[in-house]
Amino acid sequence: QVHLVESGGGLVQAGGSLRLSCVASERRFSMYTMGWFRQAPGAERAVVAAISWNETRIYYADSVKGRCTISRDNAKNTVYLQLNSLKPEDTAVYFCAAAGTRNLVVVSGLYGYWGQGTRVTVSS
């Protein structure tokens, strides 16, 4: 089983930045498409960004486009999400997820492995 552990969340003022990290305890990490999702209280889980195994395809949700960068370091089994110019509406629990495909996927149901989440709170 792929275990994913997120870190880097916390409380930040509007306009600030955070870098979220997700470490996978899986030597075949490079075989997986990785995604970041978020879920605000009472809201549906929504994709934030996704990156293919070889970084040739990247997706960003419209809500974060221009403020977000997803990257991965396969040698470290780690995927990152850099969030800039944070807004209160970015407040959510952010989840790292892995899909057993080298193709870029952005639908949560296609991701088979999930971390426990890291909470991001953006204050006004």
Side-chain angles (χ1 to χ4, degrees):
Q1 183 178 347
V2 178
H3 292 91
L4 306 173
V5 180
E6 304 97 332
S7 63
L11 176 64
V12 64
Q13 298 293 318
S17 298
L18 287 173
R19 189 179 76 160
L20 309 182
S21 298
C22 173
V23 179
S25 59
E26 170 58 58
R27 71 175 184 86
R28 296 181 180 180
F29 172 79
S30 63
M31 301 294 292
Y32 292 86
T33 286
M34 301 298 297
W36 284 96
F37 296 77
R38 67 185 182 185
Q39 188 166 21
E44 298 289 324
R45 185 171 298 183
V47 64
V48 178
I51 184 168
S52 64
W53 75 280
N54 58 0
E55 305 181 67
T56 60
R57 297 194 66 190
I58 296 175
Y59 170 86
Y60 296 105
D62 288 342
S63 59
V64 300
K65 194 171 298 182
R67 303 186 296 117
C68 178
T69 302
I70 187 171
S71 61
R72 66 190 296 165
D73 186 340
N74 289 343
K76 297 181 178 180
N77 286 5
T78 303
V79 62
Y80 304 95
L81 187 72
Q82 178 71 39
L83 297 167
N84 300 319
S85 301
L86 285 163
K87 306 173 181 179
E89 50 263 45
D90 294 319
T91 296
V93 176
Y94 285 70
F95 298 91
C96 175
T101 177
R102 293 182 177 181
N103 298 321
L104 183 70
V105 292
V106 298
V107 179
S108 62
L110 297 178
Y111 284 80
Y113 304 98
W114 295 83
Q116 296 301 304
T118 184
R119 180 173 287 106
V120 172
T121 302
V122 184
S123 62
S124 300

